[in-house]
Amino acid sequence: MPVASAVHPRVLEWFADNARDLPWRTPGTSAWGVLVSEVMSQQTPMSRVAPKWEAWMATWPTPADLAAAPTSEVLIAWDSLGYPRRALRLQECARAITERHDGVVPSTEEELLALPGIGSYTAAAVASFAHRNRATVLDVNIRRVLSRVFAGVEHPMAALSKKETAWAAGLVPTHDHVEWNAGVMELGALVCTSRSPRCAECPLQDLCVWNLAGRPAAPERKPRTQSWAGTDRQLRGAIMKVLRTATTAGLPTRLLTASALDLTTTDEETLAGLPAPVVAAVERVRDLGTADRIDRLVTDLVSDGLAVLEDGRLRLP
DNA sequence: AACGCGGGGCC
DNA sequence: GGCCCAGCGTT
């Protein structure tokens, strides 16, 4: 296993030359801006996050701004980034920071972990990238790089264990730890990718246990990704899209109840004259779900706080 | 530990 | 058509 002191300078030098020009890396970005970028990036590729982040920060530059915003506008701005409950948690987070921390993003992992939507990864990332505190950042990229370089294993274990965290913590240098965290992550995102890694371009190729061993394939991996077509998530997403497009179009919410909208039965008279995006979103829901399923998922969405049902009308909160 | 949760792009 | 993505919260 290579010694960390041999790996560190390689990563730091590579990162200095290859860091992407991401909008939140612009000097002067607030800690809040970094936090927003991290939450948006939870399970969403950064290529899709970047443009949304810029518009978001222009609209709500501070936690107090987001805290005061109508949740419906927040969900519309979140658009199709996925997992819209993250948008709810982010607004709750903004309110917690505004009320409990005087609008200042906390800098310790313990305080960050106590905030809605902030887990172990995001707490460490904000502590490191926003506050330059020494922290052990462990996302899917860093876990994969460390697994390959030091353990010689193609993919990390599905679950992050305490043991792995402690081991990774020992690899974080006392100086340049921010650049280490960001650099290893960037290396995992651009070079040491999950599929088809570019080992020939890797600054660690002559140190990496996995590469030196001939890049042996992992025995087998249980399918980590859930199916998509036909799932509740797909239909939930389609229903949320109806709410976003209709609200944006300023439609009366009466049209948005599963029953009143007749999402499952053809009602051309109701649909006639509606904006095309709304019609498309409604027809999509019709194609995907039966009335019973739609009603069940609407109940779930209301329970999750993603929608509000009053007087038989469904709308964004 | 396992599950539910979105959506788009790439192989 | 599967795989992957700067994960989190609940059970």
Side-chain angles (χ1 to χ4, degrees):
Chain A
M1 177 149 46
V3 292
S5 60
V7 173
H8 289 153
R10 302 278 190 93
V11 170
L12 298 182
E13 181 182 4
W14 178 88
F15 184 59
D17 294 337
N18 295 278
R20 285 171 292 182
D21 188 20
L22 299 168
W24 45 88
R25 285 180 178 163
T26 302
T29 300
S30 66
W32 173 245
V34 173
L35 189 155
V36 171
S37 78
E38 295 298 342
V39 172
M40 286 184 170
S41 299
Q42 291 166 358
Q43 294 291 281
T44 299
M46 308 203 348
S47 55
R48 284 206 286 152
V49 167
K52 295 293 183 189
W53 181 86
E54 303 209 72
W56 188 284
M57 294 305 296
T59 306
W60 303 298
T62 70
D65 295 321
L66 186 63
T71 302
S72 57
E73 290 184 16
V74 173
L75 288 169
I76 290 170
W78 191 263
D79 195 31
S80 58
L81 279 179
Y83 296 142
R85 54 174 54 170
R86 287 184 295 158
L88 299 182
R89 299 294 92 78
L90 184 55
Q91 189 177 37
E92 294 168 11
C93 180
R95 289 172 174 161
I97 291 172
T98 303
E99 296 165 10
R100 307 206 301 257
H101 298 280
D102 293 325
V104 179
V105 177
S107 60
T108 70
E109 290 183 69
E110 182 181 358
E111 291 173 300
L112 288 162
L113 268 175
L115 296 171
I118 307 296
S120 59
Y121 161 74
T122 307
V126 171
S128 178
F129 303 145
H131 298 292
R132 300 195 68 85
N133 288 337
R134 188 162 179 263
T136 305
V137 180
L138 280 179
D139 76 320
V140 64
N141 289 307
I142 295 184
R143 294 186 63 212
R144 184 174 56 248
V145 172
L146 299 184
S147 172
R148 289 175 178 173
V149 172
F150 292 99
V153 177
E154 184 178 15
H155 298 290
M157 307 299 301
L160 175 62
S161 65
K162 292 279 191 182
K163 191 179 299 288
E164 182 182 347
T165 301
W167 171 67
L171 298 173
V172 178
T174 29
H175 300 296
D176 299 322
H177 45 266
V178 180
E179 289 71 22
W180 165 259
N181 286 327
V184 178
M185 197 179 307
E186 194 84 335
L187 189 63
L190 299 181
V191 175
C192 193
T193 50
S194 184
R195 286 181 303 180
S196 307
R198 309 162 176 229
C199 298
E201 304 171 22
C202 182
L204 305 178
Q205 56 181 281
D206 61 322
L207 300 173
C208 175
V209 175
W210 184 60
N211 187 47
L212 292 174
R215 296 159 60 179
E220 70 174 271
R221 269 201 298 175
K222 294 198 297 190
R224 204 164 48 74
T225 52
Q226 308 164 24
S227 56
W228 169 245
T231 61
D232 285 353
R233 282 193 303 161
Q234 184 187 32
L235 183 50
R236 279 171 60 106
I239 296 170
M240 289 301 296
K241 190 176 181 68
V242 170
L243 297 183
R244 291 197 308 267
T245 55
T247 302
T248 300
L251 290 180
T253 55
R254 186 179 68 77
L255 296 177
L256 302 180
T257 309
S259 53
L261 182 55
D262 271 338
L263 289 171
T264 56
T265 63
T266 304
D267 183 352
E268 301 303 335
E269 195 167 341
T270 300
L271 286 180
L274 297 185
V278 179
V279 175
V282 169
E283 306 222 327
R284 178 67 173 153
V285 170
R286 280 184 180 165
D287 291 341
L288 289 173
T290 62
D292 286 351
R293 257 186 96 206
I294 292 171
D295 282 346
R296 175 171 62 82
L297 293 181
V298 163
T299 302
D300 290 346
L301 289 171
V302 171
S303 174
D304 289 345
L306 287 165
V308 174
L309 193 56
E310 58 182 11
D311 302 331
R313 307 176 184 194
L314 191 68
R315 60 171 174 82
L316 291 176

